[in-house]
Structure formats: C-alpha cells, structure tokens
Amino acid sequence: MTITRESLVHEIDGEPFEHMVVADPKAGRRPGVLLFPNVLGAKDADFAYAQRVAELGYNLLVVDLYGQGKRTTRAEPDAARYMNALRDDRALLRDRVNAAHALLKRLDMVDADRTAAIGFCFGGLCVLDLARSGADIAGGVSFHGVYDPPPFPNAAISAKLLVCHGWDDPIAPPEATMGLARELTEAGCDWQIHAYGHTGHAFTDESAKMPDKGLAYSPAADRRSFQAMTNFLSELFD
Amino acid sequence: MTITRESLVHEIDGEPFEHMVVADPKAGRRPGVLLFPNVLGAKDADFAYAQRVAELGYNLLVVDLYGQGKRTTRAEPDAARYMNALRDDRALLRDRVNAAHALLKRLDMVDADRTAAIGFCFGGLCVLDLARSGADIAGGVSFHGVYDPPPFPNAAISAKLLVCHGWDDPIAPPEATMGLARELTEAGCDWQIHAYGHTGHAFTDESAKMPDKGLAYSPAADRRSFQAMTNFLSELFD
C-alpha cells in the first residue's frame, strides 16, 4: 500500500482553502474520512495522523477551515486568531465543515455513501458541529474536543459519535462533559464517551508539553484513543 | 483450542465455595482472570462469557462469593439476599475477593504474576473493591458496576482499571460516575471510563429485559465493551 499526500485547493466565494488528500490512489473507492486539525490549522502532524488512518483502509481529506496560508504555531502570541473567528461565528463554522464534507463526497476515490469525520481539539468541535448540523456522516470521533453547543438549534443527529476525552482537560471540565452527554442523549444519537484519567488536553499531540496548563501528550491515551477510533471505524464500515 | 469447565470447591473457615475453572488445560500457564458474577451468583451465562474470554488466551476462575448452592434467579422475591449480606459487610467482601485472587494465583495453569479481574453489576463492585484493597492484579474491568467506595480507607490502587458504563444506569447515575472518577483520580491509578449513551444497567446480560426499570441488554454496548476489554487485556498481557 502506498499512501500519497496531495494538496487540493478549493474555493468558497472566491476565497481559496488548501486541503490535503491523504489516500491510497490505487485502492479504488474507499470510505472517506474528514480530518479536522486543532487550533493551529492543517500541518504535518495532521498529515501523519491521516496517513495512519489511511493505512487502516480509508481515504482522508485533511481540512483547511481557515483559508490558504492561514496557519499558526504555538510560539505565536495570537495562535488562536483564525480559530476564534470561527468559534465566534458558529453558523459560518457549520457552513465550512459542511462544504468540506461535500468536497470529500465528490472525490473520485471516496464512496460518498460511507463517510466519517475525526478531529482534534477545535477539530473535535468541528466534528460535533458537523453532526449537529444533521450531516449524513456515518460517524464522528472527537479527540480532546470542545463541547459547547452552537447558539442555534441542532438538526437531528444521525451520526454515531465517539468522544475521546481527557478527564483533567481544563478546556472541558467534568461539567462540560456531563453537558455533552445530556445534549447527545436528548438528540437521540448513538454516542460513547471514553474518559481517560490523569489525562489533559491535547493528549494526541506529541508537541504538547505544557502539563502545568493541563495540555500534554499522553502516549497511553493516544494509543487507546487510536485503538478506539480503529474499532469505531470498523463498526461503521466493515 | 478446547476450553473446559471444571468445578472447584474451596473452603474458607470450613464453609465450601464452588467456583468454576474455565480454561484451556493444554495451553500451559496463561494469564489468569477472575470473573465476578452479578447479583445472582455464578451461573451458565458467566461460564459462557468466561469461555469467550478464555478463547482470547486466558484461563479464568468464575468466582462463587456466596457459598456452595447459594444462587438465586430474577424470578425470586428476594434475589439479592446473598449479595446484600456482602454489600453490608465490605470488609468481608474485601476478604472474599482477595481469597479468590489467592486461589487463582495458586492454579497450576495460571501465571501468578499476570492476573486480572472482570465483573458484572455487583461483580463490578467486586473488581473495584479488589483493586481498592491493593491487590496485585494488573488490571480490572467493571461492566455496569456499582461504584460507592467502602466505608474504610483504601490501599494504594496499583491496578489499571477500565469501567464500562451505561450512562442511563439507574444504579449508577452521572453523579456516582463522577464520584468514581474523582476517587480513582485521587487514588492515582490508571483509569478509563467508557460511557455508552442510551444504555442502562445490565447491558451485557441477554436475560435482562426490564427497560422500564433501566435494566436491559444492549447488543451494541455488549459488543463494544467486550472489544474494549479485549484491547485492555492485550495491553496488560501481550
């Protein structure tokens, strides 16, 4: 199996967005998975994670929600500026994640009837908001995501959801996690929350090294959540 | 592989307890797993579950905590009488689960340095109390367990713990689950809680058919929790 990475520029209202297709071009049509990056935007770590998922038998679109060239690093003083613009406009975020899903479904190498989404941190919120919008993804996986619902009513959630959660995540304290459980229960969707003890935010991110701020890579939680996602995608598509 | 079932009567202070060894007698020493049954005591459904676990590569002891012949059925008016006697005496329960662990470790076919425990409903409490007592099990899995801690201080918990939980379980409402997360965090042990939405108590129990009381079999949660346990035991022993 040879997994390739190919940039895909797509315009919305004349504005370019630069996604990355991470796929096995010789495998024919496979289930398609959107990967929503964390606050910093699409980067090598996302392409590497997508590659691991592609090796499981899926073709991925790593999504650019900010616009071509709009990326940040943790070293910058305002690393969250592109994210915050979307966090503050959940209707726009909803439209962008749905545009990415439509794009995924149009890819020749993707079976449009078999799609899912995964995401990290802010990307976890993107997964949830895509599901909340009623998108016809079969399932979604949030890793150390953000749980507050949009300020407008949701559509019925048809997607199955798996939420991989660090119990000590300062961005999503226990009350927020309980709130998400209530919300998803009321929405009637098939959901799971996997909570990991002694685990903070960003547990899949090898570059996260701020344990004093509750933000740190965890090899165990990274491994367990990858396994849980693998099982979940198998349940959806095998 | 041929898995056999063999009754094993063991006495504590002259009182007989009838356990069941479910194992591959030709496989040599394998990691050993205690299986603690639900409120009704050791029965065919437990032996069948133990058989599925034995097929993964472990030798099991299905534990009798009540005493030989002391079994109940859901049809009985006081089906919980044997369980309640132990629920009311957590020191006695602690001693019984530890006696079962000592017995497991003495079995010729068990690698005494590689043991774990799983349990259902009241058996989930048994797993937690065994871990709380400081037993040297590598790990424990609670399925739709009972979470209230004993009325005495715990030892340090060295076991890894996986708690498979139905979010709508009336026996363990969200506050009890949060309490368990707090307790295990304070105990410093490696823990995970997998919560399943729209899932009540007894989700592994095909005979559980009282959804109006929040007690019902769930094929999805049964399958997912078995997969989670499989991954967990692999992490401990492979």
Side-chain angles (χ1 to χ4, degrees):
Chain A
M1 185 190 322
T2 304
I3 308 296
T4 61
R5 301 178 184 183
E6 192 164 349
S7 161
L8 174 63
V9 176
H10 175 248
E11 293 197 354
I12 301 177
D13 298 334
E15 188 188 351
F17 293 80
E18 186 172 359
H19 312 287
M20 185 75 84
V21 177
V22 180
D24 182 345
K26 295 182 180 168
R29 289 203 174 194
R30 307 204 293 181
V33 179
L34 294 170
L35 187 154
F36 293 109
N38 70 6
V39 51
L40 306 176
K43 59 198 156 309
D44 276 347
D46 298 305
F47 309 147
Y49 201 98
Q51 173 129 2
R52 294 171 64 201
V53 181
E55 285 164 0
L56 299 173
Y58 311 104
N59 287 333
L60 282 90
L61 184 69
V62 179
V63 181
D64 171 20
L65 290 173
Y66 299 155
Q68 193 169 27
K70 294 181 177 171
R71 305 288 185 273
T72 61
T73 67
R74 285 200 204 282
E76 291 175 47
D78 192 13
R81 62 189 181 277
Y82 300 126
M83 177 185 82
N84 286 339
L86 285 172
R87 285 272 287 157
D88 292 346
D89 187 346
R90 296 287 281 272
L92 178 62
L93 177 60
R94 175 196 62 204
D95 293 345
R96 292 243 174 111
V97 295
N98 274 281
H101 186 224
L103 182 62
L104 175 79
K105 292 203 289 184
R106 285 198 302 272
L107 295 178
D108 280 344
M109 59 183 69
V110 164
D111 180 345
D113 294 328
R114 300 202 296 162
T115 61
I118 67 176
F120 307 89
C121 170
F122 171 62
L125 179 71
C126 296
V127 169
L128 294 175
D129 274 16
L130 182 61
R132 285 164 170 147
S133 76
D136 64 345
I137 50 171
V141 185
S142 161
F143 300 89
H144 44 82
V146 180
Y147 303 150
D148 58 297
F152 44 77
N154 293 334
I157 299 179
S158 60
K160 297 182 181 184
L161 291 173
L162 168 64
V163 175
C164 297
H165 175 74
W167 192 252
D168 299 335
D169 189 335
I171 292 174
E175 294 68 29
T177 309
M178 300 264 288
L180 180 66
R182 274 193 301 274
E183 181 202 340
L184 298 181
T185 296
E186 285 167 13
C189 73
D190 179 330
W191 65 265
Q192 304 173 63
I193 296 175
H194 292 194
Y196 308 115
H198 309 286
T199 305
H201 191 67
F203 57 77
T204 63
D205 181 352
E206 290 190 45
S207 75
K209 293 171 185 170
M210 293 187 275
D212 52 314
K213 291 186 176 173
L215 193 146
Y217 179 62
S218 161
D222 186 24
R223 188 181 62 245
R224 290 167 178 173
S225 60
F226 188 88
Q227 179 71 62
M229 176 200 65
T230 301
N231 297 337
F232 181 78
L233 293 175
S234 285
E235 185 183 316
L236 297 180
F237 297 128
D238 285 356
Chain B
M1 186 188 322
T2 305
I3 308 297
T4 61
R5 302 177 185 184
E6 193 164 348
S7 161
L8 173 63
V9 177
H10 174 249
E11 293 197 354
I12 301 176
D13 298 334
E15 187 187 352
F17 292 80
E18 185 173 358
H19 310 288
M20 185 74 84
V21 176
V22 180
D24 182 345
K26 296 182 180 168
R29 286 202 177 196
R30 306 204 293 181
V33 179
L34 295 171
L35 187 154
F36 293 109
N38 69 7
V39 51
L40 306 175
K43 59 199 158 308
D44 277 347
D46 298 305
F47 310 146
Y49 202 98
Q51 172 128 3
R52 293 171 65 200
V53 181
E55 287 165 358
L56 300 174
Y58 312 104
N59 286 333
L60 282 91
L61 184 69
V62 179
V63 181
D64 171 19
L65 290 174
Y66 299 154
Q68 194 169 28
K70 293 181 177 170
R71 305 289 185 273
T72 61
T73 66
R74 285 199 203 282
E76 292 175 46
D78 192 13
R81 62 189 181 278
Y82 300 126
M83 176 184 82
N84 286 340
L86 286 172
R87 284 273 287 155
D88 292 345
D89 187 346
R90 297 285 281 274
L92 178 62
L93 177 60
R94 175 196 60 203
D95 294 345
R96 292 243 173 111
V97 295
N98 274 281
H101 186 223
L103 182 62
L104 175 79
K105 293 204 286 184
R106 286 198 302 272
L107 296 179
D108 279 344
M109 61 184 66
V110 165
D111 180 346
D113 294 328
R114 300 202 297 162
T115 60
I118 67 175
F120 307 89
C121 172
F122 171 62
L125 180 70
C126 297
V127 170
L128 294 175
D129 275 15
L130 182 62
R132 285 163 171 149
S133 77
D136 64 345
I137 49 172
V141 186
S142 161
F143 299 89
H144 44 83
V146 181
Y147 303 149
D148 58 297
F152 43 78
N154 293 334
I157 299 179
S158 61
K160 295 181 181 186
L161 292 173
L162 169 63
V163 175
C164 296
H165 175 73
W167 192 252
D168 298 336
D169 188 335
I171 292 173
E175 294 69 28
T177 309
M178 300 265 287
L180 179 66
R182 272 194 302 272
E183 181 202 340
L184 298 181
T185 296
E186 285 166 13
C189 73
D190 179 331
W191 65 265
Q192 303 173 64
I193 296 175
H194 292 193
Y196 308 115
H198 309 287
T199 304
H201 192 67
F203 57 77
T204 62
D205 181 351
E206 290 190 46
S207 76
K209 293 171 186 169
M210 293 187 276
D212 52 315
K213 291 185 176 173
L215 195 146
Y217 179 61
S218 161
D222 186 24
R223 187 181 63 246
R224 289 167 178 174
S225 60
F226 188 88
Q227 179 70 62
M229 176 200 66
T230 302
N231 297 338
F232 181 78
L233 294 176
S234 285
E235 184 182 316
L236 297 180
F237 298 128
D238 286 355

